[in-house]
Amino acid sequence: MATNKRGVAGWLDPLHLNIERWAYVFQRVTGLAVLAYVLGHIGDTSFFVGGPFGEGPSPSSWSSDLSVTENAFGHVVLVMVVLVVVYHGINGIRLILSEYGMIFAKPSRPDYPYKAKSLRTVQKHLIWVAIIAAILAALYTGGTLFG
Amino acid sequence: MADELALRIQRFDPSMEERPHLERYAIPLKDGMTVLDALIYAKDTLDHGIAMRFSCRMASCGSCGMKINGRPRLACETQLKDLRSSTVTVQPMDNFPIVRDLVVDLESFFSKHRSVSPHLVRKGDEKEQESPTGEYLMTPQELDSLVQFTYCIKCGLCSSSCPTGSTDSLFPGPQALAQEFRYLQDPRDEAREERLDLVDTEHGVWRCHFAGTCSAVCPKGVDPALGIQLLKRHVMAARSPFRRRRERKGAKVFPNPNEDLLRKD
Ligand code: SF4
Ligand code: FES
């Protein structure tokens, strides 16, 4: 028999499905992006003390390192970082609240057409809050960096 | 609506073929036709070899779950006109091994259902469990807090749509976890600790990240995602350090963390 499991592709394909599934995909992808950023950032800030293999603090290597982001591409990367961090953070709070069962309507007798209650409550609004806040924060960052 | 439907059916015999392919059938449309009607027409008149499963034709038995235009649905409940497309593609449900064409093997699904002991467990006298001496009553509010989870017809759509299920074969899946919540929430059940231990594991309830697709595709309003989140609440309340402190102080009775579900609005 063929196993018919989609593997990681099954995580990443929200087509034809609900907005919570899209939020889940974004949460996974932004999580990886934040992880990559944090690792890069740790390497990056280590230049303040002379680089990952350097000896002692070195303000000059720190400023040369800072100059890497002082251009249009670096600014775009920073705007993207703000976008993913804000989305990931707010959606993460939504998920924590949902794990405490706090943002749902109570179970009750289902009535036709049987729309799931958990997908119609505050948790759904919080996805939009995360998206809009992320876009606004990214616009503000873009305005500050490019303005 | 056009007079004819292009029905594309995924065909696959794993014992003979390497990979699935889609076959196209022209189906004359009639008012009120469902995807199952179109499939039955194709099987009866165009190709007897199509393997599919159905029984009640009224969204009760849970046999006709499949992916219709990319979304898991019951074929007997899906009206062609609601799909707003003159081409409809049907494929077997994901996450379950394909036996042939649209038929999948649900053995793992049912064994996961059985693994959560989907029945009331009473401790103590075994005879009482087999032949009760009286009724075990519950209030209407207690019933309301779990009744939607009893509507499950075990169609498998939820578990087929779950992203965790696409990589983790040991995850019980939304159907089984929702049933676990249903019995944990039942005031007549006495297997609370065993039930919590069963789901508070590496491949248990914490593998759910609330993608909510199970609830979006459930044809019966069971809302398994809600059951799973409330199940997490049960686990967290039981494992909470506050509870342990009270336990050390000798407290014996702990309230159901989902007691607020019993309040009247
Ligand atoms: S919870 Fe809903 S989708 Fe899942 S098996 Fe039961 S009826 Fe089907
Ligand atoms: S045939 Fe029974 S649920 Fe569709």
Side-chain angles (χ1 to χ4, degrees):
Chain A
M1 261 181 294
T3 60
N4 200 26
K5 282 196 182 288
R6 298 178 70 198
V8 174
W11 297 356
L12 297 178
D13 175 14
L15 287 180
H16 313 290
L17 299 172
N18 49 318
I19 180 174
E20 290 79 5
R21 179 67 169 261
W22 287 85
Y24 160 91
V25 174
F26 289 145
Q27 189 72 359
R28 301 231 126 183
V29 173
T30 56
L32 287 176
V34 171
L35 178 67
Y37 174 73
V38 168
L39 292 178
H41 189 59
I42 290 171
D44 173 51
T45 47
S46 70
F47 279 90
F48 186 60
V49 289
F53 310 107
E55 291 162 13
S58 163
S60 63
S61 61
W62 169 242
S63 22
S64 79
D65 180 51
L66 265 193
S67 66
V68 173
T69 53
E70 293 299 318
N71 53 48
F73 177 72
H75 288 170
V76 170
V77 170
L78 289 178
V79 169
M80 296 299 287
V81 167
V82 169
L83 191 76
V84 302
V85 167
V86 173
Y87 172 81
H88 193 82
I90 297 180
N91 191 48
I93 292 170
R94 163 182 161 267
L95 292 174
I96 292 170
L97 293 176
S98 76
E99 299 205 322
Y100 279 96
M102 288 167 75
I103 42 178
F104 298 113
K106 287 193 272 176
S108 58
R109 280 170 200 278
D111 288 320
Y112 192 80
Y114 302 136
K115 293 267 179 262
K117 272 193 167 178
S118 70
L119 306 183
R120 280 187 294 157
T121 44
V122 177
Q123 65 81 16
K124 190 165 235 127
H125 303 152
L126 287 179
I127 299 175
W128 290 110
V129 170
I131 293 172
I132 292 166
I135 292 173
L136 289 179
L139 286 176
Y140 176 76
T141 312
T144 312
L145 290 174
F146 288 102
Chain B
M1 205 165 163
D3 297 338
E4 200 174 81
L5 170 82
L7 181 65
R8 300 194 308 162
I9 304 178
Q10 179 172 313
R11 307 296 307 272
F12 184 36
D13 182 347
S15 64
M16 321 253 285
E17 291 161 304
E18 277 286 297
R19 54 176 55 85
H21 64 279
L22 291 173
E23 248 166 66
R24 204 182 162 93
Y25 301 90
I27 312 287
L29 280 172
K30 285 201 206 111
D31 274 351
M33 207 172 191
T34 63
V35 173
L36 183 63
D37 294 332
L39 279 165
I40 292 173
Y41 178 89
K43 185 173 168 71
D44 281 354
T45 59
L46 305 173
D47 184 346
H48 302 318
I50 299 169
M52 55 196 265
R53 201 183 260 145
F54 66 96
S55 177
C56 70
R57 310 185 194 202
M58 47 186 248
S60 283
C61 70
S63 328
C64 67
M66 59 188 70
K67 238 168 40 172
I68 300 173
N69 284 355
R71 191 179 166 102
R73 304 171 193 262
L74 292 180
C76 67
E77 204 199 25
T78 307
Q79 292 282 326
L80 287 170
K81 82 169 170 6
D82 292 343
L83 296 173
R84 291 170 217 273
S85 165
S86 54
T87 304
V88 169
T89 306
V90 289
Q91 293 165 294
M93 290 190 284
D94 287 329
N95 295 351
F96 301 119
I98 300 174
V99 178
R100 197 154 71 84
D101 299 344
L102 301 173
V103 177
V104 293
D105 180 2
L106 290 170
E107 180 47 42
S108 65
F109 175 73
F110 289 121
S111 69
K112 284 172 181 175
H113 173 65
R114 280 192 295 272
S115 75
V116 301
S117 305
H119 50 80
L120 286 181
V121 176
R122 301 289 297 186
K123 297 277 175 70
D125 193 354
E126 227 168 78
K127 262 198 251 144
E128 178 66 17
Q129 173 107 25
E130 291 307 320
S131 12
T133 47
E135 283 181 84
Y136 293 104
L137 298 174
M138 67 200 302
T139 65
Q141 286 83 5
E142 284 167 338
L143 177 62
D144 280 351
S145 78
L146 58 84
V147 72
Q148 72 180 63
F149 303 98
T150 68
Y151 280 35
C152 173
I153 56 171
K154 293 156 207 75
C155 60
L157 290 179
C158 55
S159 296
S160 81
S161 73
C162 174
T164 300
S166 65
T167 47
D168 186 354
S169 304
L170 300 176
F171 180 60
Q175 189 276 340
L177 289 174
Q179 293 312 304
E180 186 72 330
F181 169 74
R182 177 251 174 276
Y183 286 98
L184 208 43
Q185 181 67 14
D186 195 313
R188 303 164 301 172
D189 187 83
E190 292 180 340
R192 184 172 172 71
E193 292 306 322
E194 293 82 346
R195 291 192 187 283
L196 291 171
D197 287 345
L198 190 76
V199 295
D200 186 18
T201 59
E202 193 189 338
H203 294 278
V205 70
W206 305 111
R207 284 284 168 119
C208 165
H209 304 294
F210 191 44
T213 317
C214 51
S215 294
V217 304
C218 175
K220 290 285 153 187
V222 172
D223 201 350
L226 176 61
I228 300 174
Q229 308 322 305
L230 298 175
L231 180 60
K232 289 177 184 171
R233 198 182 190 190
H234 269 293
V235 177
M236 279 192 288
R239 306 291 187 247
S240 133
F242 299 112
R243 171 179 168 157
R244 286 205 206 100
R245 210 166 64 202
R246 286 170 53 201
E247 221 160 21
R248 280 200 298 276
K249 286 186 179 161
K252 287 267 177 313
V253 182
F254 298 98
N256 176 345
N258 287 311
E259 208 131 80
D260 60 332
L261 306 181
L262 311 181
R263 266 197 331 256
K264 278 205 189 117
D265 284 321

